[in-house]
Amino acid sequence: MLSQTKSVCEIWLGAMLFYVVYVSLPLAAQSLPAGLRGTDFQSWDELDALTRLSSHLDVTWIARVRLSTELPNPTHYIFGTDWNFGVRKNLVLTPSYYYDSYRAVGVSGHRHVPIFAITPIFTRGRLTLSDRNRFGGRFETNAAPSWFYRNRPSIDYRIGASQGGTSLFAWDEIFYFSKYGGWTRNRFAAGGRKAISERLTANLYYQREDNKAGTQPAHINTIALLVELRFR
């Protein structure tokens, strides 16, 4: 029975990877109709490597690429790290650093992004609620330094008896950018998470982004695949 379950999980992950390689990537080479110039379809593909250094410290190394139907490709890629400190049962503090490079119509560049996050977490039975608050700076090659604040409340519902097996999740994140002087971005996402083994987990979700300022399209519809590899 265990081997059958493992085989099903491997087929499931293979199907997701097939989708990214043979469906989302070709879509990134196509153009949208003229009437949809304000809307973009993107594929966000991410690989996270996780290492637990102590009972209160988990480190994540992140690599992510975004492919677009409207913008030059790759439109965005990110390398970075999160250091998650569990200061108590229901609170996580996370200093982070990201380096990213971006390309849009008529503009390209790269930036350094230090971030500090405060995330309260509440769990009751199968349900987990969290509220991530991120404070960060942007140091760009073609713009003055700026700061931002992001707030992302999320809900996760575990399915089945296993503590870390399968879950459904949704979140909504709002962004304040000092560069634009207001709340100019919103992201909503919903999807599922599946633990393939003790060291391998896959997340597949849909995300909608709406922008009121900047060089990004006004609306971005995204299919995202996040693969987590735990080494310790």
Side-chain angles (χ1 to χ4, degrees), residues 66-111:
R66 304 181 191 174
L67 301 172
S68 168
T69 57
E70 282 287 279
L71 305 175
N73 281 308
T75 187
H76 201 184
Y77 62 82
I78 295 174
F79 299 98
T81 182
D82 295 336
W83 292 65
N84 302 292
F85 292 88
V87 296
R88 58 179 61 180
K89 182 179 180 180
N90 296 321
L91 183 64
V92 178
L93 303 180
T94 308
S96 305
Y97 167 78
Y98 296 135
Y99 169 84
D100 67 76
S101 178
Y102 57 90
R103 302 170 68 191
V105 177
V107 62
S108 63
H110 61 85
R111 56 190 166 221

Side-chain angles (χ1 to χ4, degrees), residues 175-192:
F175 294 66
Y176 182 95
F177 292 105
S178 66
K179 180 178 180 180
Y180 306 121
W183 301 92
T184 59
R185 178 176 297 169
N186 185 84
R187 285 179 184 163
F188 169 80

Side-chain angles (χ1 to χ4, degrees), residues 167-216:
S167 62
L168 301 176
F169 59 81
W171 72 70
D172 189 81
E173 186 169 23
I174 56 174
F175 294 66
Y176 182 95
F177 292 105
S178 66
K179 180 178 180 180
Y180 306 121
W183 301 92
T184 59
R185 178 176 297 169
N186 185 84
R187 285 179 184 163
F188 169 80
R193 183 176 188 270
K194 176 66 178 179
I196 309 303
S197 68
E198 291 184 359
R199 298 185 180 275
L200 178 63
T201 302
N203 302 258
L204 182 67
Y205 61 94
Y206 164 80
Q207 179 178 274
R208 166 76 175 196
E209 177 177 304
D210 296 299
N211 295 291
K212 296 180 180 178
T215 59
Q216 294 292 324

